[in-house]
Amino acid sequence: MALKKNDIIRIEITGMTSEGSGVGRYDGMAVFVASSAIGDIINARIIKTSKTYAIGKIEEIITAAPARTQPDCPVFKSCGGCVYRHISYAEELNIKRRRVTDAITRIGGLSDELVGEIIGADETDHYRNKAQLPVGIDSGGRYTAGFYAYHSYRIIDCESCALQPAVFSDICAVFREWCKLFSPIPYNETSNKGLLRHLYIRYGEASGEIMVCLVINGDKIDGEQELANMLSKRIKGFKSLIINSNTKKTNVILGEKCRTVYGSDYITDILCGLRFRISPLSFYQVNRTQAERLYSIAAEYAQLTDRDTLIDLYCGTGTIGLTMAKRVKKLIGVEIIPQAIENAEENAALNGIKNAEFICGDAANAALRLKQRGEKPTVIIVDPPRKGLNSELIDTIASLSPNRLVYVSCDCATLARDLKLFAEKGYSTLKITPVDMFPRTAHVECVAVMKKAETGEA
Ligand code: SAH
């Protein structure tokens, strides 16, 4: 009999989706149940059905999976941020490594033996150095800044998110007081009306420097200077208040225009022993400690020498390449966001690095131009967004003919697809190491190394 809404069924959870939802089968049909764990036997209430799958909610846990733990966050069930607070960290790491292995074998057609041990984090809480919190007013007229509920625009206020440093809660408290004084109208995602969109906070974990940024649907907001005064009196390390204008109807958080109200246009942090300037629009790794581990694996894979020319594609503020620059003859970084390239150039100077060149542009176009001007890189590192590389760029990289290719990826499905394409061009994958940059969430990062076939073993 077909499943209907509100049916209660008994199922065993046997797998996990890439979004961190448990999956069981009922009459051959996949049933997805959030916050369930592999090995759970549950009674699930069906909340949605389609021809090929159903979505259920835990009604009762009959037998709990051995890896189950008590969630330690009061908003875990409603908030869309964490998906793994109900299982042990060891089990979370198993799930993440298995997800990488599945992608590498099924999509990439490669052997699971290439996937190394996952590098887990020592600290699974308080690791985020960035928060982008939508702002709203709840039914009691109180300002809220927090997270969207799972698949919704409803804001769950987060007084103290376990993934964030404690100082973010102090900043939110000052921000709410300021909202009460100046009554800004929160932005409404559906009607595109209202002014105040997001409270965006960045924290240099090693330097202690803090940037606060208000993302607004306009150019100015009442009380800017007062907010700067309140933050500078009460928040240690507060270095910068910035207004970012985003007047577009979009779910992209930041607009292109920034205006500094107080302090500097950037904060500085320390990564792998170097100092980095970070502007509001520039990418910076969200988990600094794990980023250092990720970069050290990338460096080990790159096997750099002073004869090497290194190209760092998708370089952001130059972090990966600059931390390796002193070991190579020449570094070329490519990045599409102009502010990030400005930061990368400043960062080279700040760290006394003179053998680096940075190019602002699309990675595929820039790689083609580098080829046309006769560059002969020996090592290329890529770190693209989730969609991975396009096939033109893969062609150009292969024609640049580096000995070694290091691929840092935040999506193992596109990584696997691209490793397969590189294999067709003569680049064989030697190893893939998953790194857990985002404990408690469904994301997993990977770093893979490839070698040009005809060069033989190093
Ligand atoms: N390697 C850096 C940044 C990685 S994030 C680090 O570890 O900090 C990916 C970066 O790619 C972002 O900075 C983003 O702005 C940039 N990017 C996105 N699309 C791009 C494109 N088509 N060409 C070049 N860079 C791009």
Side-chain angles (χ1 to χ4, degrees), residues 283 285 295 314-316 319-320 334-337 361-363 383-385:
F283 177 89
Q285 295 286 349
Y295 288 6
Y314 304 89
C315 70
T319 44
I320 295 185
V334 175
E335 159 65 44
I336 204 161
I337 302 284
D362 167 63
D383 183 6

Side-chain angles (χ1 to χ4, degrees), residues 421-448:
L421 293 173
F422 274 119
E424 289 163 12
K425 308 261 167 220
Y427 281 88
S428 51
T429 301
L430 302 183
K431 194 163 179 195
I432 302 145
T433 296
V435 182
D436 189 21
M437 304 283 281
F438 310 102
R440 300 330 196 181
T441 77
H443 303 286
V444 58
E445 194 95 2
C446 286
V447 48

Side-chain angles (χ1 to χ4, degrees), residues 271 281-285 291 294-295 312-321 334-337 340 359 361-365 381-385 387 390 393 408 410 445:
L271 191 68
L281 299 180
S282 304
F283 177 89
Y284 185 60
Q285 295 286 349
L294 180 81
Y295 288 6
D312 177 10
L313 295 176
Y314 304 89
C315 70
T317 60
T319 44
I320 295 185
V334 175
E335 159 65 44
I336 204 161
I337 302 284
I359 298 171
D362 167 63
N365 294 338
I381 298 182
V382 298
D383 183 6
K387 66 177 184 216
N390 64 32
L393 177 54
V408 179
C410 52
E445 194 95 2

Side-chain angles (χ1 to χ4, degrees), residues 404-418:
R404 276 147 287 151
L405 257 170
V406 178
Y407 193 137
V408 179
S409 161
C410 52
D411 184 327
C412 52
T414 56
L415 170 69
R417 177 201 69 198
D418 292 348

Side-chain angles (χ1 to χ4, degrees), residues 245-266:
S245 300
N246 183 1
T247 53
K248 290 196 183 132
K249 189 171 170 57
T250 165
N251 58 7
V252 175
I253 294 177
L254 297 174
E256 284 168 15
K257 217 169 84 193
C258 290
R259 175 168 55 83
T260 305
V261 173
Y262 168 92
S264 54
D265 306 341
Y266 55 82

